[in-house]
């Protein structure tokens, strides 16, 4: 076993090449080159590198720079609810569907979503005496460094860039080497290129844009629609040679190395911010390599907080090669599955920080002035962004999600009162940083009441994984209580003693018997229903966690009885004639399998209410519902829905089906830089045939979660090791994934029958452990923190109690002899 430990440690150390994306082409999406750029970011500033040889663009964005929104004053239309419910009880669903929308329109209510505003472009032009050779474009995910390399006329050229997490600046260097290799370039800052985005630059940006060059500095600024300036300052530090400024640009010549330092500002004043940033940049005395290491010392520990290896070491291959293999449909290459897990984590780390904004759908790299679906959408999308974080060891970045929604809590209380006459909070599915009132005044959004309860899952999970009792008491439970208070007022008790939830939406679906004849559109013809299963699944989880957490924290004792009574009034899930869990618990609504949302599967995933062990009948019925979505509605899927299905199949312990979903995603919705897009724009029959195919990084994050779910199931009461291991992943290793009280490492080799696991407890915990069925005959040992150990033969599933510092070691060495891997 010691030899295996050493080999494993060596594999982790030598894995740096596996943490790279390598490409042989620049961005190539006509009219939207930003879509295939390589991203770097420090959690608040993002830089997207296009990769052209002669003419290069680096798009710069700031997480808090948004525009074009309008926060409307929501009128009190709560008096409409009784009439809406009366119509629904009478079966007049189409009339009830538009009632709230019409009530708002009659009061002339209007809100508009904000969209991210591109900050500026770095535009670089380099001389090219001969055609390029040996072009490479790469991203080192371990450091966040983007590199563009090529050869020309016997010389080698390289441009490298990263966004520093330590020094809050973009660091960019141009290099030349070999015979005759010199930098001959022109550089400038300017508004994001309107030729590469649609629609064009807003008039308030275009009319106010100003560039200036002075000595070794370039300046850019424009004014947003709020009257505040935003912009950037760039400092040029050549290694000899000459810098000549003219017309707001700088010409660089006669040098082999040029360091460029860029800092940005927003919600500012150019007269003050330009000299402030120039002074700060002027004080920087570090080299590129020193600045990179300063940044990497913060970025690298986040990226390497967990590691996964799928399959044996193989020659590194470019993105293009991996994608071509996937496109053949002969099975997803393990190297691509692993690379996508790493890339999703990289995007998450680079796009957020604990005290910043949540991860947007486009990350920090969107390149249009009216990005489609760029708001924070909480009927699945933003939640999917965070599914992976706790088990993946990235809990420290999650508080940005809480800060965002807590910051609008008063607006959400107002929404609940004025829309529905309820206490507590109503969070619209869509929000933007300054607009928490509904801006999508359509039934499919207005009538969906589950956003706050679903988000509460993340609040509570953060407390479980960090053990932060102060956070639980002062932030998670108060938010959860607000969400429960809304349900207490909104739910109506029926004659049978169970709650009714109406109007009710199962995002973003319409029952099959309410679809018009003919081809089914992407729109939402009739989402207004009674008792969507998701409503009760969310409420049940919320109340269960609220009761458990309140007892743990010693708060809200006088309210526990009321919450327990609410739980008893939630109706049980129902199964239809197909043997599938119903999406709507009301006889007037028929299941519609042809849809991308799979909302009613919530108790299986992302919830943890239903497992094979807790309720085998419902477990199988959820599996039937999931299977019909993929078999009947494969042409109705999206990247994120395929990722969702992969997570669900992992919970079903069907690893090969989970991997099949990821393979379909890879064949249909991956761009060359491995961004996921909403759908296959090429109309190949696997997803919705929409030509727009907007970038949506929730598919990337959902992939991360699916890989982790195949390798590990975690709840406070149960840990399953390799619960859904695909046959293609016959060997591999995991380091640094998390259970609720500590960390987990795994190694396995199905060919040789070996398996080893180590669970290191950081806090006291009692739970059950389930070992992989394909590795029967394991033995366990607990090495106590205070010394000594106990051990024995593993059962299929057994109870474990660990104290802080204890290590549970599980091992099967292929011959049935006891051994332990650390």
């Amino acid at each position: 076993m010691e030899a295996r430990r050493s080999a494993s440690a060596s594999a982790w150390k030598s894995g740096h090449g596996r943490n790279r994306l390598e490409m042989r082409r620049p961005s190539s999406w006509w009219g939207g080159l930003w879509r295939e750029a390589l991203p770097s970011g420090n959690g608040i500033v993002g830089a997207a590198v296009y990769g052209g040889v002669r003419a290069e663009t680096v798009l710069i964005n700031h997480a808090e720079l948004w525009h074009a929104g309008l926060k409307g004053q929501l009128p009190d239309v709560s008096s409409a609810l009784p009439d809406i419910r009366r119509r629904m009880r009478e079966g007049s669903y189409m009339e009830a569907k538009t009632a709230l929308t019409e009530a708002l329109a009659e009061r002339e209510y209007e809100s508009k979503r904000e969209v991210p505003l591109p900050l500026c472009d770095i535009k670089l032009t380099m001389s090219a005496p001969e055609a390029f050779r040996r072009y490479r474009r790469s991203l080192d995910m371990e450091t966040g460094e983007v590199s563009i390399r090529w050869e020309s006329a016997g010389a080698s050229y390289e441009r490298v860039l990263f966004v520093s997490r330590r020094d809050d600046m973009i660091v960019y260097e141009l290099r030349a080497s070999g015979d005759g290799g010199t930098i001959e370039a022109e550089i400038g800052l300017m508004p994001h290129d309107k030729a590469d985005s649609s629609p064009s630059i807003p008039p308030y940006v275009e009319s106010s844009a100003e560039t200036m060059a002075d000595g070794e500095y370039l300046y850019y600024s424009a004014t947003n629609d709020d009257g505040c300036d935003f912009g950037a300052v760039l400092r040029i530090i050549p290694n000899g040679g000459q810098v000549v400024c003219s017309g707001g640009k700088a010409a660089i010549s006669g040098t082999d190395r040029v360091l460029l330092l860029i800092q940005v500002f927003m919600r500012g004043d150019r007269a003050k911010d330009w000299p402030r940033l120039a002074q700060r940049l002027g004080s920087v005395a570090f080299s590129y390599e020193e600045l990179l290491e300063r940044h990497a010392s913060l970025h690298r520990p986040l990226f390497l907080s967990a590691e996964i290896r799928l399959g044996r070491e193989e020659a590194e291959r470019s993105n293009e090669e991996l994608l071509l293999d996937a496109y053949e449909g002969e099975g997803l290459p393990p190297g691509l599955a692993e690379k996508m897990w790493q890339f999703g984590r990289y995007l998450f780390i680079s796009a957020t920080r604990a005290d910043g904004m949540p991860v947007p759908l486009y990350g920090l790299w969107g390149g249009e002035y009216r990005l489609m679906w760029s708001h924070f959408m909480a009927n699945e999308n933003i939640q999917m962004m965070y599914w992976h974080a706790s088990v993946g060891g990235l809990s420290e970045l999650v508080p940005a999600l809480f800060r965002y929604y807590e910051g609008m809590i008063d607006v959400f209380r107002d929404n609940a009162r004025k829309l529905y006459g309820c206490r507590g909070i109503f969070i619209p599915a869509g929000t933007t940083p300054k607009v928490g009132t509904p801006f999508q005044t359509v039934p499919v959004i207005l009538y969906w009441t589950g956003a706050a309860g679903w988000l509460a899952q993340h609040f509570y999970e953060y407390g479980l994984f960090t053990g932060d009792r102060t956070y639980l008491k002062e932030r998670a439970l108060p938010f959860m209580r607000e969400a429960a208070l809304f349900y207490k007022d909104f739910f109506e008790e029926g004659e049978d003693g169970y709650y009714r939830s109406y109007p009710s939406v199962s995002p973003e679906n319409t029952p099959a018997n309410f679809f018009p004849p003919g081809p089914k559109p992407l729109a939402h013809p009739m989402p207004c229903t009674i008792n969507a299963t998701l409503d009760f699944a969310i409420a049940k989880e919320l109340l269960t966690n609220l009761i458990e957490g309140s007892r743990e924290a010693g708060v809200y004792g006088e309210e526990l009885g009321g919450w327990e009574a609410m739980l008893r009034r939630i109706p049980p899930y129902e199964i239809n004639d197909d043997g599938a869990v119903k999406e709507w618990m009301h006889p007037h609504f028929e299941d519609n399998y042809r849809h991308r949302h799979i909302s009613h599967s919530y108790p299986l995933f992302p919830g943890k209410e239903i497992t094979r062990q807790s309720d085998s009948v419902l477990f199988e019925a959820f599996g039937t519902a999931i299977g019909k979505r993929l078999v009947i509605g494969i042409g109705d899927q999206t990247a994120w829905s395929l990722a969702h299905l992969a997570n669900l199949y992992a919970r079903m312990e069907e690893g090969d089906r989970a991997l099949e979903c990821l393979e379909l995603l890879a064949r249909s919705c991956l761009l060359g830089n491995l961004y996921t897009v909403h759908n296959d724009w090429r109309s190949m029959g696997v997803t919705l045939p929409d030509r727009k195919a907007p970038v949506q990084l929730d598919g990337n994050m959902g992939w991360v979660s699916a890989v982790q779910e195949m390798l590990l199931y975690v709840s406070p009461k149960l840990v399953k090791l390799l619960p859904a291991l695909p046959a293609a992943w016959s060997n591999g290793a995991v380091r640094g994934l998390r259970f609720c009280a500590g960390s987990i490492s795994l190694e396995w080799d199905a060919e040789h029958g070996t398996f080893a696991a180590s669970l290191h407890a950081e806090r006291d915990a009692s739970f059950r452990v389930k070992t992989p069925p394909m590795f029967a005959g394991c033995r366990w040992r607990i090495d106590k923190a205070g010394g000594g150990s106990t051990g024995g033969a593993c059962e299929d599933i057994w109870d474990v109690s660990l104290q802080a510092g204890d290590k549970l070691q599980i091992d099967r060495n292929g011959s049935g002899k006891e051994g332990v891997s650390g």
Side-chain angles (χ1 to χ4, degrees):
M1 290 307 299
E2 291 300 327
R4 276 180 54 199
R5 275 195 214 103
S6 299
S8 176
S10 175
W12 294 123
K13 290 178 182 178
S14 66
H16 182 74
R18 300 176 78 153
N19 296 337
R20 295 180 67 89
L21 302 186
E22 190 83 16
M23 304 179 68
R24 299 191 177 190
R25 293 184 297 184
S27 300
S28 304
W29 188 287
W30 178 254
L33 295 179
W34 63 269
R35 294 166 60 98
E36 294 185 317
L38 285 179
S40 185
N42 66 357
I44 192 165
V45 174
V49 182
Y50 292 14
V53 167
R54 189 189 68 84
E56 173 68 290
T57 297
V58 179
L59 164 65
I60 301 176
N61 284 327
H62 191 290
E64 298 179 9
L65 185 59
W66 294 61
H67 73 131
L70 171 66
K71 180 183 177 182
Q73 293 301 312
L74 187 67
D76 190 336
V77 294
S78 59
S79 60
L81 181 61
D83 187 57
I84 291 170
R85 287 182 165 175
R86 177 189 60 78
R87 295 184 190 187
M88 296 184 75
R89 288 193 299 269
E90 295 171 354
S92 300
Y93 299 112
M94 296 301 289
E95 293 179 14
K97 179 185 79 167
T98 57
L100 199 57
T101 298
E102 292 169 355
L104 290 172
E106 287 170 3
R107 302 289 293 274
E108 298 183 345
Y109 168 74
E110 183 182 21
S111 268
K112 294 181 180 178
R113 70 184 179 99
E114 303 162 277
V115 292
L117 175 62
L119 192 141
C120 72
D121 285 346
I122 302 173
K123 287 291 188 179
L124 175 71
T125 303
M126 296 182 65
S127 62
E130 291 186 6
F132 69 87
R133 302 177 61 205
R134 297 187 178 92
Y135 174 91
R136 295 292 184 273
R137 182 164 63 117
S138 65
L139 168 63
D140 185 340
M141 294 181 282
E142 195 172 313
T143 64
E145 182 185 49
V146 176
S147 171
I148 310 297
R149 308 182 305 279
W150 73 94
E151 297 176 5
S152 178
S156 297
Y157 298 88
E158 183 176 26
R159 299 193 298 261
V160 287
L161 175 147
F162 65 92
V163 186
S164 175
R165 213 172 185 98
R166 171 82 68 182
D167 297 303
D168 197 25
M169 68 175 67
I170 299 168
V171 183
Y172 192 16
E173 188 161 83
L174 320 180
R175 302 167 181 169
S177 61
D179 293 341
T182 61
I183 302 296
E184 308 290 334
E186 182 179 77
I187 189 167
L189 297 172
M190 58 190 63
H192 176 57
D193 189 355
K194 64 181 181 182
D196 192 40
S197 69
S198 176
S200 60
I201 303 171
Y204 43 85
V205 174
E206 190 164 34
S207 64
S208 64
E210 180 184 5
T211 60
M212 185 176 73
D214 182 16
E216 61 183 29
Y217 293 94
L218 300 179
Y219 302 87
Y220 166 77
S221 186
T223 305
N224 201 354
D225 57 0
D226 60 1
C228 295
D229 286 347
F230 62 90
V233 177
L234 183 153
R235 180 187 175 196
I236 304 168
I237 310 173
N239 181 31
Q242 188 176 26
V243 177
V244 177
C245 295
S246 175
K249 297 180 181 180
I252 306 165
S253 61
T255 182
D256 61 355
R257 192 164 174 141
V258 182
L259 177 63
L260 308 173
L261 305 178
I262 305 99
Q263 286 198 300
V264 307
F265 68 95
M266 47 85 62
R267 288 199 290 267
D269 177 352
R270 68 189 75 181
K272 297 177 181 178
D273 288 303
W274 277 359
R276 176 180 62 85
L277 294 183
Q279 182 178 23
R280 184 182 298 176
L281 291 173
S283 67
V284 176
F286 296 109
S287 68
Y288 178 91
E289 289 76 14
E290 290 169 330
L291 288 166
L292 178 60
E293 186 49 42
R294 285 168 60 83
H295 158 71
S297 68
L298 297 180
H299 176 94
R300 186 182 288 116
L302 287 168
F303 183 76
L304 296 180
S305 60
E307 296 183 85
I308 287 175
R309 295 290 179 260
L310 303 174
R312 304 191 187 282
E313 289 283 350
E314 59 181 33
E316 286 301 305
R317 295 191 292 163
S318 68
N319 286 15
E320 292 91 345
E321 293 169 310
L322 289 168
L323 288 171
L324 282 172
D325 277 1
Y327 202 71
E328 286 296 299
E330 299 297 331
L332 185 72
L336 181 57
E338 178 186 314
K339 195 83 73 177
M340 284 289 293
W341 178 81
Q342 295 164 325
F343 186 51
R345 282 169 55 84
Y346 170 81
L347 293 171
F348 184 84
I349 292 164
S350 302
T352 191
R353 54 177 65 176
D355 60 352
M357 295 286 288
V359 183
L361 272 176
Y362 290 81
L364 300 180
W365 307 286
E368 295 182 6
Y369 287 101
R370 292 293 302 179
L371 282 167
M372 182 179 181
W373 301 335
S374 57
H375 50 281
F376 294 105
M377 192 68 172
N379 68 358
E380 171 155 0
N381 306 85
I382 195 169
Q383 290 93 334
M384 182 178 285
M385 290 285 199
Y386 284 83
W387 284 345
H388 65 92
S390 296
V391 171
L394 295 174
S395 289
E396 67 184 89
L397 298 178
V398 176
L401 180 69
F402 311 145
R403 290 178 67 255
Y404 175 79
Y405 285 103
E406 289 170 330
M408 291 187 278
I409 201 78
D410 288 337
V411 176
F412 300 149
R413 289 192 185 109
D414 198 53
N415 291 344
R417 180 175 61 85
K418 291 180 176 177
L419 288 173
Y420 291 111
C422 295
R423 296 168 294 167
I425 55 177
F426 174 84
I427 300 179
T431 60
T432 60
K434 293 182 181 179
V435 185
T437 53
F439 49 74
Q440 298 162 295
T441 55
V442 290
V444 73
I445 300 299
L446 284 178
Y447 289 159
W448 188 62
T449 58
W454 192 337
L455 289 164
Q457 180 191 78
H458 294 269
F459 279 75
Y460 193 64
E461 183 178 82
Y462 178 82
L464 290 176
F465 275 81
T466 63
D468 188 338
R469 292 173 61 89
T470 300
Y471 161 83
L472 177 68
K473 183 176 180 178
E474 297 180 359
R475 295 181 65 184
L477 292 173
F479 182 91
M480 295 163 69
R481 179 178 177 272
E482 294 275 0
L485 192 59
F486 177 86
Y487 284 133
K488 184 177 179 64
D489 289 355
F490 181 76
F491 287 159
E492 178 183 272
E493 189 171 346
E495 298 82 2
D496 58 1
Y498 287 121
Y499 280 137
R500 283 197 297 256
S501 177
Y502 69 123
S504 178
V505 168
S506 190
E508 298 171 4
N509 205 354
T510 287
N513 54 316
F514 283 90
F515 256 114
K520 295 182 180 180
L522 181 61
H524 322 289
M526 218 302 289
C528 181
T529 68
I530 299 174
N531 288 3
T533 296
L534 177 62
D535 285 359
F536 294 124
I538 290 174
K540 189 174 183 181
E541 176 191 68
L542 170 69
L543 292 165
T544 300
N545 290 342
L546 185 53
I547 292 166
E548 178 186 85
S550 296
R551 286 184 174 139
E552 171 76 14
V555 295
Y556 305 138
E558 71 282 0
E559 300 183 59
L560 293 177
W563 294 332
E564 289 169 339
M566 288 179 69
L567 266 178
R568 291 191 292 272
R569 295 189 185 104
I570 291 179
Y573 306 125
E574 297 181 10
I575 300 174
N576 65 20
D577 292 340
D578 295 327
V581 171
K582 287 185 176 181
E583 192 161 355
W584 297 276
M585 297 184 200
H586 191 281
H588 288 182
F589 308 103
E590 298 175 7
D591 284 288
N592 174 31
Y593 301 123
R594 290 199 57 188
H595 203 264
R596 61 203 177 279
H597 277 266
I598 322 150
S599 303
H600 62 306
S601 61
Y602 188 98
L604 185 67
F605 178 88
K608 296 181 172 68
E609 179 188 349
I610 303 298
T611 64
R612 189 185 300 277
Q613 290 73 30
S614 68
D615 191 324
S616 60
V617 174
L618 272 176
F619 185 81
E620 294 299 332
F622 275 111
T624 300
I626 296 160
K628 288 184 175 295
R629 273 299 205 275
L630 190 57
V631 173
I632 295 175
I634 190 171
D636 301 285
Q637 300 309 309
T638 64
W640 59 260
S641 73
L642 288 168
H644 193 165
L645 283 163
N647 279 275
L648 284 163
Y649 275 120
R651 286 285 173 92
M652 289 294 298
E653 301 176 4
E654 296 185 33
D656 289 336
R657 295 302 302 275
L659 192 61
E660 177 188 0
C661 293
L662 296 185
E663 181 194 346
L664 289 172
L665 193 166
R667 288 162 60 190
S668 60
C669 298
L670 285 189
L671 299 182
N673 58 354
L674 301 189
Y675 282 172
T676 52
V677 294
H678 178 265
N679 58 275
D680 192 341
W681 63 100
R682 300 161 295 197
S683 298
M684 298 297 285
V686 175
T687 69
L688 291 165
D690 192 331
R691 290 178 63 86
K692 298 184 184 70
V695 170
Q696 286 192 287
L697 301 185
D698 51 357
N700 286 97
M701 308 304 168
W703 185 301
V704 177
S705 176
V707 169
Q708 292 174 184
E709 288 285 344
M710 285 186 254
L711 301 176
L712 189 66
Y713 170 89
V714 172
S715 77
K717 299 177 181 178
L718 177 63
V719 173
K720 299 180 186 179
L721 307 175
L722 303 184
L725 188 68
W729 299 353
S730 59
N731 64 85
V734 167
R735 183 190 64 78
L737 293 187
R738 310 288 297 179
F739 67 107
C740 292
S743 64
I744 294 180
S745 297
L746 303 170
E747 296 178 52
W748 69 94
D749 188 329
E751 180 182 350
H752 296 95
T754 58
F755 172 78
S758 177
L759 285 72
H760 180 201
E762 296 165 6
R763 297 184 303 279
D764 295 355
S766 296
F767 52 95
R768 309 198 84 197
V769 174
K770 188 176 189 304
T771 50
M774 74 286 292
F775 294 112
C778 291
R779 296 189 64 83
W780 65 269
R781 187 177 78 204
I782 297 177
D783 295 329
K784 306 295 292 182
S789 64
T790 58
C794 294
E795 302 175 40
D796 174 57
I797 184 168
W798 80 101
D799 295 313
V800 172
S801 290
L802 300 176
Q803 294 181 322
D806 289 354
K807 284 187 178 181
L808 170 62
Q809 311 275 22
I810 302 170
D811 190 85
R812 184 181 189 275
N813 63 11
S815 62
K817 296 180 181 179
E818 183 178 358
V820 178
S821 175

